[in-house]
């Protein structure tokens, strides 16, 4: 319980938070755009399906039949199975025809029928306005529950303030612009936040009731069976099969066809791919929303009795003294109502102005200046629509009609379902058939559901509910043809049957005009995504139509509804869409494109039906231009010697062949992609294996060098050991002679000479070993690391040869280095060592014949900051085939004699990739082989310059 002022502060704070979020979403920032166009926001905004009727009423519904209650949420879940192909078509139509509402969608499909659009708007208004009253009742009931009774501010006054706030929020973020096809990121983000809030509130109450007030949900159900067996039996009662199916159908169709649902799902859709994510996100959301409804209903029955079942969500936390939870639940229910009221107010006001007011104004006074106030008229319509709902609640708040209005409204929008399905998939359906179907379905709905609800509410005499009209029981509104079933199911199924029957027979037996035939054919082509621009064959038409007068005419059309500046913008958009420049003259074909673009852009403001009427009445084509177009079509058909129907048939046949070729191409592309993926996978494996082999080759080379250096160092170290051992023996001998007094002067002088010689041998061989170790260390470290450093080229090449001395001593070949002692470079010494080592080892293994004494010359020069290194041997050289394959991996001329085929491949990769250089070869059979290697002298500076440039 809280005071009215505190409650007003909470409501105001919450709405202010939504306002700030919506304003940020409308700011145009990149983060806001990404968030508002995300699949998560889109999916949560679709939770507008869960109104206060879900939040509060589902608990009350569950007390009567929890199984039937679940059908309200199972229906949308089953819809998700087939929603993808259906929504692909619907979203395509929305994009092409700039659809603004469900009424506009039906009008766009059925030859832009103004009558059908107005009828659809009327059905929506009559069916949904009482549903708005249900939301307002939920808000008022919640306010009554949480307010302190002694407070001076009446709950109705707060309800009126809430009503005003909802209306203003709807106008600010829903009807700020004239074109309702523009997305409303602020409102969508607000809907997403409200969807999350009401879910968290529902789960909070469920967890509190199920695990705090009671031990578990199962315990609640067991207690209900023990203490109130009749109530438990009613909750678990199974509905009739017909009732179950009809409720599934009603809920599934309502999820897509309720005006608010259609707007959020279709008009506000930012990406068709989001539908695939919604297919499994939405069922999860609905499961979470309903998982605790039955335990809450059972707990309410136990603690509060069955009289106030619709208020259990608030009453249970209040009973437990949980003020914060009660407030959170109130905000959740408020969110559920506010979201529905906002979007319903926006969509119904748009339908009211576009399909009821504008056609009447266009018919009675085409030049009326009131059209300039179309946006303001929509603002007024918001207040009218929401005001009608408020008044409906205030006068009929406790009536039978309002209590049952949720399912009655679902049955009303069910009448759109046959028209949508037939319009998308049945080419022969007509505007007259659709109008007949909707009219008959609406009349049967009103007779079977609306009329009995009005009578039971006490508005009019209810005599016919006893015996039927004129005593004819088979015409009883709730028992047509003597059928006995649930009242909602009865009205829904009979109205649907009448709708479908009238639709089918009306389409089959109504006369169709040539214009409608052409429009239907074009529409079905769009559905099959094979729109054929028949005018493309008329490129030779003379350009003799002045463009300026036509643009002035278009500006006048848009100027009826928009200020001059915005009208100018729309005209330029028409030129862009028609792909016209500022040419002075155009042909009839281009004029047709311009007319089509004008109608499409205008339909975003007025709806497709009114846009078509306005453009048609504006006489964009002069009589002469119309005759020109007709004459060229007639000449074309005469030349082809076919009828218009045959022409379209042949064009469609051509398109079908094109589609078949495209499908075949797509299949081949998929096959190629699969094979490419397989080849890439194999290539990656080969590259990995190659990389491992290269690393193995490098390690093997290093290992050979280690073994050779160990052997090379062994000689001086062995000499040192021998000299030291000999000196040790001499010292022992001299010491003995000295102890015995037998050491002569000559013997001591000889001992000293021996010491000098031994020490000289030890020092020289130690120095030799140290030099070998230092060279090996530097080369080995360089080969095992990849660090840039500056070094002298001649000195480093000598160190490389020294590290290879154990191998070179075994062969008779001579290696010469021609390099100035002053030359230095800054690069990877380890890479250069690997390159030289591999080249030398390659020459020793492949270049020379067994009896040949070969010569290898390494020449190094500097030119223009590039190191030019020529490596030349006088061996057997290579033939043409060998030249082509030299740098290929695994190519070798001595496969079974120790060659791995990776030496020159490694050289090429190291020079081109690590040293950023180039490698060229010069060779011919018996003329030796020369490698011309070129790499930057200062690689560190080059890489730094490249990094700054990038």
């Amino acid at each position: 319980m809280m005071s009215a002022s505190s409650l007003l502060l909470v409501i105001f704070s919450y709405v202010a938070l939504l306002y700030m979020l919506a304003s940020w979403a409308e700011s145009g920032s990149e983060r806001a755009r990404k968030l508002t166009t995300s699949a998560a926001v889109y999916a949560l905004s679709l939770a507008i399906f869960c109104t206060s009727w879900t939040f509060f009423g589902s608990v009350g519904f569950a007390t009567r039949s929890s199984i039937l209650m679940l059908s309200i949420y199972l229906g949308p879940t089953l819809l998700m199975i087939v929603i993808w192909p259906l929504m692909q078509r619907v979203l395509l139509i929305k994009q092409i025809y700039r659809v603004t509402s469900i009424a506009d969608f039906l009008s766009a499909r059925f030859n832009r029928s103004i009558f059908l659009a107005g009828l659809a708007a009327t059905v929506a208004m009559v069916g949904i306005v009482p549903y708005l009253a249900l939301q307002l009742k939920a808000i008022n009931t919640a306010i009554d529950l949480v307010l302190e009774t002694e407070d001076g501010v009446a709950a109705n006054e707060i309800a009126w303030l809430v009503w005003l706030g909802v209306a203003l929020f709807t106008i600010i973020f829903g009807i700020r612009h004239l074109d309702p096809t523009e997305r409303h990121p602020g409102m969508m983000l607000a809907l997403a936040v409200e969807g999350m809030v009401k879910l968290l509130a529902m789960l909070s109450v469920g967890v509190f009731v199920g695990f705090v007030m009671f031990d578990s949900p199962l315990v609640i159900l067991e207690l209900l069976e023990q203490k109130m067996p009749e109530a438990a039996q009613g909750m678990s009662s199974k509905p009739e099969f017909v009732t179950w199916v009809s409720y599934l159908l009603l809920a599934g169709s309502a999820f897509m066809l309720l005006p608010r649902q259609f707007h959020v799902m279709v008009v506000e859709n930012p990406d068709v791919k989001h539908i695939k994510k919604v297919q499994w996100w939405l069922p999860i959301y609905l499961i979470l929303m309903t998982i605790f409804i039955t335990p809450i209903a059972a707990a309410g029955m136990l603690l509060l009795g069955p009289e106030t079942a619709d208020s259990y969500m608030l009453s249970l936390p209040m009973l437990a003294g949980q003020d914060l939870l009660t407030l959170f639940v109130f905000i959740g229910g408020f969110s559920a109502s506010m979201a529905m009221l906002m979007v319903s107010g926006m969509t119904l006001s748009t339908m009211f102005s576009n399909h009821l007011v504008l056609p009447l104004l266009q018919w009675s006074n085409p030049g009326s200046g009131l059209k300039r106030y179309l946006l303001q008229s929509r603002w007024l319509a918001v207040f009218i629509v929401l005001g009608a709902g408020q008044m409906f609640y205030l006068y009929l708040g406790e009536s039978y009609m309002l209590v049952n209005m949720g399912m009655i409204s679902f049955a009303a929008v069910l009448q759109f379902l046959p028209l949508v399905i037939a319009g998308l998939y049945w080419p022969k359906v007509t505007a007259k058939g659709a109008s007949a179907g909707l009219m008959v379905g609406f009349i049967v709905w009103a007779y079977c559901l609306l009329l009995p609800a009005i009578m039971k509410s006490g508005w009019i005499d209810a005599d016919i509910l006893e015996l039927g009209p004129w005593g004819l029981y088979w015409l009883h509104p709730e028992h047509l043809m003597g059928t006995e079933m649930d009242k909602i199911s009865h009205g829904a199924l009979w109205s649907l049957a009448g709708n479908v029957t009238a639709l089918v027979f009306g389409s089959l037996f109504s006369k169709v005009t040539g214009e409608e035939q052409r429009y239907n054919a074009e529409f079905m082509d769009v559905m099959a995504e094979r729109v054929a621009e028949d005018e493309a064959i008329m490129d030779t038409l003379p350009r003799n139509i002045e463009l300026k007068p036509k643009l002035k005419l278009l500006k006048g059309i848009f100027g009826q509804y928009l200020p001059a500046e915005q009208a100018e913008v729309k005209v330029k958009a028409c030129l862009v869409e028609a792909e016209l420049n500022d040419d002075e003259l155009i042909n009839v074909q281009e004029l047709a494109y311009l007319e089509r673009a004008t109608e499409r852009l205008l339909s975003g403001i007025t709806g497709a039906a009114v846009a078509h009427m306005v453009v048609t009445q504006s006489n964009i084509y002069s009589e002469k231009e119309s005759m020109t177009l007709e004459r060229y079509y007639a000449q074309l058909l005469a030349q082809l010697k076919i009828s218009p129907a045959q022409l379209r048939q042949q064009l469609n046949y051509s398109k079908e062949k094109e589609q078949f070729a495209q499908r075949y191409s797509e299949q081949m592309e998929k096959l190629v992609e699969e094979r490419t993926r397989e080849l890439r996978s194999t290539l990656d494996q080969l590259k990995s294996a190659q990389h491992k082999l290269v690393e193995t080759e490098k390690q093997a080379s290093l290992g050979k060098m280690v073994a050779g250096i160990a052997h090379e160092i062994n000689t001086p170290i062995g000499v040192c050991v021998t000299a030291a051992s000999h000196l040790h023996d001499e010292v022992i001998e001299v010491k003995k002679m000295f102890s015995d007094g037998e050491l002569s002067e000559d013997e001591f002088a000889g001992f000293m000479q021996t010491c000098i010689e031994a020490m000289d041998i030890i020092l020289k061989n130690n120095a030799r070993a140290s030099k070998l170790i230092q060279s090996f260390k530097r080369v080995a470290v360089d080969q095992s690391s990849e660090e840039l450093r500056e070094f002298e080229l001649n000195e480093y090449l000598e160190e490389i040869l020294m590290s290879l001395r154990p191998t070179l001593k075994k062969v008779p070949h001579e290696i010469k280095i021609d390099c100035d002692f002053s030359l230095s470079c800054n690069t990877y010494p380890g890479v250069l060592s690997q390159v030289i080592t591999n080249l030398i080892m390659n020459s020793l293994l492949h270049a020379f014949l067994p009896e040949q004494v070969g010569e290898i010359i390494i020449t190094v020069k500097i030119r223009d900051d590039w190191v030019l290194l020529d490596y030349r041997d006088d061996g057997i050289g290579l033939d043409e085939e060998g030249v082509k394959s030299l740098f290929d991996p695994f190519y070798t001329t001595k496969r079974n004699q120790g060659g791995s085929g990776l030496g020159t491949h490694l050289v090429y990769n190291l020079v081109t990739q690590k040293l950023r250089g180039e490698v060229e070869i010069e060779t011919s059979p018996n003329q030796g082989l020369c490698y011309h290697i070129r790499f930057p002298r200062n690689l560190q500076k080059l890489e730094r310059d490249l990094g700054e440039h990038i």
Side-chain angles (χ1 to χ4, degrees), residues 291-360:
I291 192 169
F292 287 112
I293 287 180
T294 299
I296 293 172
M301 296 277 282
L302 287 168
L303 300 176
L304 300 170
E307 291 79 13
T308 58
D310 289 342
S311 61
Y312 286 166
M313 284 289 294
L314 277 170
S315 300
L316 287 172
M318 290 175 66
L319 181 66
Q322 298 293 320
D323 294 340
L324 288 178
L325 181 58
T326 301
L327 188 60
F328 187 37
V329 174
F330 173 81
I331 292 298
F334 177 79
S335 296
S337 296
M338 182 178 176
M340 186 273 191
L341 290 170
M342 285 193 306
V343 182
S344 295
M346 180 174 66
T347 55
L348 292 178
S349 64
T350 300
M351 285 193 283
F352 177 76
S353 61
N354 282 5
H355 306 302
L356 295 176
V357 176
L358 267 183
L360 183 61

Side-chain angles (χ1 to χ4, degrees), residues 860-880:
V860 183
K861 296 179 181 179
I862 301 292
R863 183 181 300 166
D864 298 331
D865 288 332
W866 287 81
V867 177
L868 306 180
L869 188 152
D870 290 342
Y871 175 93
R872 184 185 303 274
D873 66 47
D874 59 353
I876 60 176
L878 292 173
D879 56 15
E880 185 176 350

Side-chain angles (χ1 to χ4, degrees), residues 104-178:
D104 198 31
F105 176 84
L106 295 176
S107 173
R109 168 59 186 94
F110 295 103
N111 198 28
R112 295 158 298 204
S113 171
I114 294 177
F115 175 79
L116 180 59
L119 180 61
T122 302
V123 171
M125 296 282 288
V126 174
I128 303 303
V129 167
Y131 196 15
L132 301 181
L134 196 61
Q135 310 307 308
L136 294 166
K137 176 187 176 182
I139 294 177
N140 281 269
T141 303
I143 292 173
D144 283 335
L145 280 173
V146 299
L147 277 184
E148 295 177 355
T149 56
E150 66 271 16
D151 197 284
V153 179
N156 279 346
E157 295 179 21
I158 299 179
W160 275 108
L161 289 175
V162 170
W163 172 87
L164 180 62
V166 170
L168 292 176
F169 199 97
T170 302
I171 291 172
I172 292 172
F173 294 105
I175 315 181
R176 182 186 298 181
H177 306 292
L178 193 55

Side-chain angles (χ1 to χ4, degrees), residues 77-96:
T77 302
L78 295 177
L79 175 66
M80 292 301 105
I81 299 174
V82 297
I83 194 68
W84 172 244
L86 192 66
M87 284 300 295
Q88 277 185 302
R89 295 191 167 209
V90 172
L91 290 173
L92 180 63
I93 293 303
K94 167 247 178 177
Q95 185 67 26
I96 293 176

Side-chain angles (χ1 to χ4, degrees), residues 249-418:
L249 180 63
L250 286 168
S253 61
F255 184 85
M256 182 175 177
L257 301 178
L258 279 168
R260 68 176 189 275
Q261 294 295 137
F262 186 89
H263 181 86
V264 174
M265 182 177 283
V266 178
V267 180
E268 296 289 345
N269 177 271
D271 188 346
V272 67
K273 294 180 182 177
H274 288 351
I275 300 297
K276 288 193 172 182
K277 294 181 179 178
V278 169
Q279 282 184 287
W280 58 277
W281 285 0
L282 182 77
I284 293 175
Y285 184 95
L286 294 179
I287 289 172
L288 292 175
M289 280 295 290
T290 56
I291 192 169
F292 287 112
I293 287 180
T294 299
I296 293 172
M301 296 277 282
L302 287 168
L303 300 176
L304 300 170
E307 291 79 13
T308 58
D310 289 342
S311 61
Y312 286 166
M313 284 289 294
L314 277 170
S315 300
L316 287 172
M318 290 175 66
L319 181 66
Q322 298 293 320
D323 294 340
L324 288 178
L325 181 58
T326 301
L327 188 60
F328 187 37
V329 174
F330 173 81
I331 292 298
F334 177 79
S335 296
S337 296
M338 182 178 176
M340 186 273 191
L341 290 170
M342 285 193 306
V343 182
S344 295
M346 180 174 66
T347 55
L348 292 178
S349 64
T350 300
M351 285 193 283
F352 177 76
S353 61
N354 282 5
H355 306 302
L356 295 176
V357 176
L358 267 183
L360 183 61
L361 197 60
Q362 185 69 27
W363 174 75
S364 61
N365 187 7
S368 173
L370 294 176
K371 296 179 184 178
R372 294 288 299 273
Y373 302 97
L374 179 59
L375 182 60
Q376 290 75 12
S377 71
R378 286 184 186 159
W379 297 348
L380 178 61
V382 170
F383 286 101
I384 292 174
V385 169
L386 294 180
Q390 181 77 334
M391 297 304 294
F392 201 100
Y393 158 68
L394 292 177
Y395 287 101
L396 307 165
E398 302 302 327
S399 69
Y400 171 89
M401 179 178 179
L402 191 58
V403 172
N404 294 275
M405 198 59 218
M407 295 308 297
I408 294 176
S409 294
F410 281 14
V413 298
L414 179 64
Q415 308 313 312
F416 297 142
L417 182 62

